[in-house]
């Protein structure tokens, strides 16, 4: 995986961040979701390097080989604000004060927070398979609660750790053929580590508490994403089934918006890497056909 990439570890504030980075050209950061590591981008990152980008793939704090602080009752050590600050610090260490950004799943929540908190650092942002957490919570239905019950289970104290760590291989299922052997091996090693499981759960606990409050404060203050934004969603996942067109929801957060669906299941970086890399590369290079400030949706195909 990641042929030609370097591996580095960055000590930043109260976290230790593992990252892969390679290529030459305008910098792009790719943020993974739960329960993956940066290795989930192993098919996308080389394609973006070939497009002429420098690509940085960190493990989020608490995930993979990155470590955060000892958890506290308020979960602030694993807030998206803290994780976003990690990314800014890593990029500055690599010599990049401004960069494009893509996040998938939980990584998209980090990307949103980074774009809101550090607008001068983000040139463009792509948000994949996600909505702001407050938008989810304001639309809770029996269908959402049934399909996304894990949000509320993960938020419970101590019990999820005991359940997951009793048999992590059964809890977290993955196919080495679709994921790629090395990606699967790295992911499996991470999910068998109780410290990683705790860190991933803290991500969800922060989501329903401190992250929710931060979003509510932003909405009350009228804070929005200032840079161009691309929203992508997997057509064989449930986001569109639950909410209809995600662009209608995201438009309140990102006035300069465009986006479309991708024919894939949830783990799009592994299942449809060429399509995803093409969409991201075109957008970051300013070649995206949907790059219109009116937020008109592109074709969902």
């Amino acid at each position: 995986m990641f042929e030609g990439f370097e591996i580095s570890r960055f000590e930043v504030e109260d976290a230790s961040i593992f990252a892969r980075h390679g290529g030459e050209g305008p910098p792009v950061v790719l943020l993974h979701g739960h329960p993956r590591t940066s290795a989930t981008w192993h098919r996308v990152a080389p394609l973006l390097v070939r497009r002429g980008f420098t690509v940085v793939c960190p493990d989020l704090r608490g995930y993979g080989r990155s470590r955060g602080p000892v958890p506290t009752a308020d979960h602030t050590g694993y807030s998206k604000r803290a994780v976003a600050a990690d990314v800014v610090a890593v990029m500055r260490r690599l010599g990049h004060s401004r960069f494009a950004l893509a996040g998938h799943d939980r990584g998209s929540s980090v990307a949103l927070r980074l774009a809101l908190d550090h607008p001068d650092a983000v040139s463009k942002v792509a948000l994949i398979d996600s909505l702001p957490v407050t938008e989810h919570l304001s639309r809770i239905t029996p269908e959402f609660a049934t399909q996304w019950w894990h949000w509320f289970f993960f938020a419970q104290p101590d019990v999820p750790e005991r359940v997951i760590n009793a048999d992590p291989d059964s809890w977290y299922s993955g196919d080495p053929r679709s994921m790629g052997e090395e990606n699967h091996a790295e992911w499996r090693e991470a999910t068998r580590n109780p410290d990683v499981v705790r860190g991933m759960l803290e991500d969800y606990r922060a989501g329903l508490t401190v992250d929710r409050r931060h979003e509510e404060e932003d909405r009350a203050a009228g804070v929005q994403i200032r840079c161009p934004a691309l929203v992508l969603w997997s057509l064989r996942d449930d986001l569109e089934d639950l909410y209809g067109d995600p662009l209608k929801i995201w438009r309140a957060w990102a006035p300069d918006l465009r986006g479309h669906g991708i024919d894939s299941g949830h783990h799009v970086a592994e299942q449809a890497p060429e399509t995803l890399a093409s969409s991201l590369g075109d957008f970051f290079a300013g070649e995206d056909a949907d790059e219109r400030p009116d937020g008109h949706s592109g074709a969902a195909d």
Side-chain angles (χ1 to χ4, degrees):
M1 294 189 299
F2 294 93
E3 183 177 357
F5 278 63
E6 296 181 46
I7 290 176
S8 300
R9 181 168 291 279
F10 302 88
E11 305 302 322
V12 295
E13 294 294 334
D14 57 352
S16 178
I17 305 301
F18 170 90
R20 298 171 158 99
H21 49 100
E24 296 181 359
V28 170
V29 180
L30 304 178
L31 303 178
H32 64 84
H34 174 92
R36 295 304 203 249
T37 73
S38 56
T40 195
W41 299 106
H42 71 104
R43 292 169 177 152
V44 173
L47 297 176
L48 291 176
V49 166
R50 290 176 203 163
R51 288 285 299 264
F53 295 101
T54 295
V55 180
V56 181
C57 303
D59 288 353
L60 305 180
R61 69 162 62 187
Y63 285 79
R65 283 178 265 186
S66 291
R67 295 293 174 266
V70 175
T72 57
D74 62 6
H75 312 297
T76 55
Y78 291 84
S79 69
K80 306 306 173 291
R81 179 159 285 163
V83 183
D86 293 342
V87 176
V88 172
V90 165
M91 293 303 285
R92 287 176 178 167
R93 297 277 186 87
L94 290 171
H96 307 296
S97 60
R98 186 169 170 81
F99 47 88
L101 177 65
H104 176 255
D105 186 77
R106 307 299 291 186
S108 180
S109 297
V110 177
L112 169 62
R113 176 50 49 198
L114 204 162
L116 295 174
D117 283 0
H118 305 275
D120 293 338
V122 182
S123 58
K124 292 185 177 183
V125 62
L127 306 152
I128 309 166
D129 282 338
S130 74
L131 296 176
V133 65
T134 50
E135 300 289 356
H136 283 295
L137 296 178
S138 69
R139 293 170 171 80
I140 289 180
T141 63
E143 290 76 19
F144 175 87
T146 299
Q147 295 181 56
W148 293 49
W149 62 273
H150 63 282
W151 273 29
F152 309 100
F153 176 65
F154 288 170
Q156 302 305 310
D158 301 323
V159 173
E161 283 91 337
R162 295 202 301 272
V163 172
I164 295 171
N165 290 326
D167 190 355
D169 288 5
S170 293
W171 184 270
Y172 293 117
S173 59
D175 180 1
R177 291 171 298 179
S178 64
M179 293 178 67
E181 295 283 350
E182 292 177 86
N183 176 29
H184 180 271
E186 180 174 312
W187 163 82
R188 179 56 74 200
E189 180 181 2
T191 58
R192 288 173 175 171
N193 184 331
D195 290 336
V196 172
V197 171
R198 183 70 182 273
M200 293 193 296
L201 294 173
E202 282 297 304
D203 170 15
Y204 281 83
R205 290 164 180 155
L208 295 183
T209 54
V210 59
D211 294 334
R212 172 179 55 80
R213 290 194 296 272
H214 289 161
E215 285 189 10
E216 290 170 344
E217 291 166 359
D218 287 334
R219 296 301 294 135
V223 178
Q224 295 178 307
I225 295 173
R226 286 168 27 187
C227 65
L230 173 70
V231 169
L232 301 172
W233 60 95
S234 301
L235 294 174
R236 287 184 269 125
D237 199 13
D238 60 2
L239 192 67
E240 196 171 22
D241 293 338
L242 287 170
Y243 305 116
D245 184 358
L247 293 175
K248 293 181 178 179
I249 299 172
W250 272 110
R251 198 162 287 126
W253 293 82
D256 187 356
L257 183 69
R258 73 283 291 141
H260 56 86
I262 291 177
D263 184 14
S264 174
H266 180 64
H267 294 290
V268 59
E270 298 165 3
Q271 297 172 18
E274 293 85 4
T275 303
L276 179 58
S278 178
S279 295
L280 293 176
D282 289 349
F283 174 61
F284 293 146
E287 301 168 6
D288 190 84
D290 295 326
E291 189 164 348
R292 293 185 293 274
D294 63 1
H296 181 70
S297 173
D301 56 16

